[in-house]
Each structure stands twice: as structure tokens, then as C-alpha cells.
């Protein structure tokens, strides 16, 4: 979904500050090209990004859309 793509975008990765944006872009590129299966790593990054959005920014819009 679009919301998760935003959470993995360079701007949001940089804003939250937990991960190196270049490293995440590399993981995404490798995954999308079928060069390597990066699902576990991307899922972990997405989990941290989602946690930040929900509990640090108190933005519940991700939950509202999924209900």
C-alpha cells in the first residue's frame, strides 16, 4: 500500500533517523530487481518506521485505514 511505500521513502527514512537512507534504497533496489530476497530486512525496517509513526508521532492513520 501507498502508506508503507511512504514509510520506506528516502525522506521519511531520513526524517525518523533510525536507518541510513542509502542502505534502505539499496535493499529496495535489490529486492525489486529480484537480485536478492530482502523481505525480512525490509519488514524489520517497516516495523520500526511504523512503530515510530504510531507511538512517537501519535499518527494512527495507518490503523484507521486497515480496520
Amino acid at each position: 500500500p501507498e502508506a508503507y511505500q511512504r514509510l520506506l521513502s528516502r525522506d521519511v527514512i531520513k526524517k525518523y533517523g533510525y536507518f541510513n537512507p542509502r542502505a534502505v534504497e539499496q535493499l529496495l533496489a535489490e529486492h525489486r530487481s529480484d537480485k536478492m530476497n530482502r523481505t525480512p530486512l525490509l519488514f524489520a525496517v517497516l516495523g520500526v518506521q511504523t512503530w515510530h509513526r504510531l507511538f512517537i508521532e501519535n499518527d494512527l492513520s495507518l490503523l484507521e485505514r486497515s480496520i
Side-chain angles (χ1 to χ4, degrees):
E2 187 178 314
Y4 296 115
Q5 290 175 356
R6 278 195 305 266
L7 285 173
L8 294 175
S9 72
R10 181 178 185 82
D11 290 341
V12 176
I13 292 288
K14 188 174 179 180
K15 175 183 172 185
Y16 291 0
Y18 299 107
F19 303 101
N20 180 321
R22 268 190 236 151
V24 174
E25 286 177 343
Q26 181 67 32
L27 290 173
L28 285 167
E30 290 173 355
H31 188 75
R32 289 178 179 150
S33 72
D34 290 328
K35 182 177 179 182
M36 297 188 80
N37 181 359
R38 295 300 193 178
T39 300
L41 290 172
L42 291 170
F43 191 74
V45 171
L46 188 58
V48 172
Q49 294 293 100
T50 301
W51 169 85
H52 180 97
R53 185 166 173 178
L54 292 174
F55 296 104
I56 302 301
E57 294 191 350
N58 200 30
D59 181 349
L60 303 178
S61 63
L62 286 175
L63 295 177
E64 293 166 355
R65 291 186 196 133
S66 64
I67 294 176

